[in-house]
Amino acid sequence: SAVISQKPSRDICQRGTSLTIQCQVDSQVTMMFWYRQQPGQSLTLIATANQGSEATYESGFVIDKFPISRPNLTFSTLTVSNMSPEDSSIYLCSVDIAGGWYGTDTQYFGPGTRLTVL
Amino acid sequence: AQKITQTQPGMFVQEKEAVTLDCTYDTSDPSYGLFWYKQPSSGEMIFLIYQGSYDQQNATEGRYSLNFQKARKSANLVISASQLGDSAMYFCAMRESDNDMRFGAGTRLTVKP
């Protein structure tokens, strides 16, 4: 498994501002993932972040709105830019722990960042 | 089409009893993994149990077991001897060889004292 921490754990922000969420892992990992969970919903993948390359965004998510950094193998940040109340969600980072072949890698999650936008 | 289906939005169980949370999946990929996660009200996602498509036996982890019926494409989570602390959202997820993790809609379990 992996120990993953996120900062901040929660925040209340004003419309139009930006928030950067940090994710730290206790071991080196190749792939890190950022998810959004809107109230009462399941998880939606925002993007996959590999060290040394641009993040890969899922349909409906763009780099201008959710810029991601991945400066090394243990750390990543997600910025939620120009926030609106619709961005109020839990944001979770996760990492893969290899299971041996495709389809078996387990994802471990950080504790999440609960964001409220007023 | 939905890849992962959890048909029970909410379930209730009496403390100390067993409960089964349903999950069906859809895939034509012969290699895939099935996962269950628990999400308490704090929001963290806790990995519970994993079942590989090639595994011959059902996975077990303490009080959690996975009832894997490959032909029916179901991967139900069984929690034995329920405890008050088991009250949470439970998500079923699947990973195919494209390596994307897909989550079901979740089931909210409430354990009654």
Side-chain angles (χ1 to χ4, degrees):
Chain A
S1 64
V3 177
I4 306 167
S5 60
Q6 281 185 239
K7 288 182 185 178
S9 58
R10 59 176 63 231
D11 208 341
I12 300 173
C13 300
Q14 295 296 321
R15 179 196 299 261
T17 62
S18 297
L19 176 72
T20 295
I21 302 168
Q22 299 179 5
C23 180
Q24 180 79 50
V25 190
D26 69 340
S27 57
Q28 294 185 337
V29 293
T30 304
M31 297 173 77
M32 294 180 78
F33 305 86
W34 286 99
Y35 286 85
R36 181 176 74 181
Q37 186 180 24
Q38 294 176 301
Q41 304 292 314
S42 187
L43 279 72
T44 302
L45 181 64
I46 297 171
T48 303
N50 291 336
Q51 193 266 338
S53 62
E54 294 277 337
T56 303
Y57 289 83
E58 297 298 305
S59 175
F61 297 96
V62 295
I63 188 171
D64 290 345
K65 175 68 176 176
F66 297 101
I68 288 171
S69 78
R70 182 80 201 273
N72 57 52
L73 291 172
T74 64
F75 187 78
S76 179
T77 68
L78 169 76
T79 299
V80 187
S81 304
N82 188 25
M83 289 184 284
S84 66
E86 291 71 35
D87 294 319
S88 297
S89 297
I90 298 174
Y91 291 86
L92 296 127
C93 72
S94 71
V95 303
D96 268 348
I97 301 298
W101 62 86
Y102 279 133
T104 68
D105 295 351
T106 297
Q107 279 195 9
Y108 289 87
F109 286 82
T113 296
R114 195 180 292 268
L115 171 62
T116 302
V117 184
L118 303 177
Chain B
Q2 286 281 10
K3 287 272 189 175
I4 294 283
T5 302
Q6 294 180 255
T7 57
Q8 306 155 315
M11 287 283 286
F12 291 87
V13 64
Q14 207 65 39
E15 194 178 7
K16 299 179 186 174
E17 291 186 350
V19 63
T20 298
L21 306 184
D22 294 342
C23 174
T24 58
Y25 60 92
D26 181 29
T27 183
S28 57
D29 195 330
S31 176
Y32 55 90
L34 297 158
F35 306 82
W36 278 92
Y37 290 86
K38 172 186 179 181
Q39 188 178 42
S41 57
S42 59
E44 60 187 313
M45 289 284 283
I46 302 167
F47 166 68
L48 295 177
I49 196 167
Y50 159 81
Q51 179 85 43
S53 58
Y54 297 117
D55 293 343
Q56 297 294 313
Q57 294 190 323
N58 287 343
T60 60
E61 289 287 347
R63 293 187 298 111
Y64 304 108
S65 60
L66 202 152
N67 183 1
F68 181 45
Q69 298 187 41
K70 194 169 181 177
R72 295 181 59 187
K73 295 187 175 176
S74 74
N76 298 339
L77 177 70
V78 180
I79 305 174
S80 62
S82 296
Q83 302 171 357
L84 295 178
D86 293 334
S87 293
M89 283 291 288
Y90 288 81
F91 290 95
C92 180
M94 178 177 67
R95 203 161 200 183
E96 299 168 288
S97 54
D98 65 1
N99 231 19
D100 288 342
M101 184 79 90
R102 295 174 176 86
F103 290 86
T107 295
R108 181 172 296 282
L109 177 66
T110 303
V111 181
K112 295 197 230 180

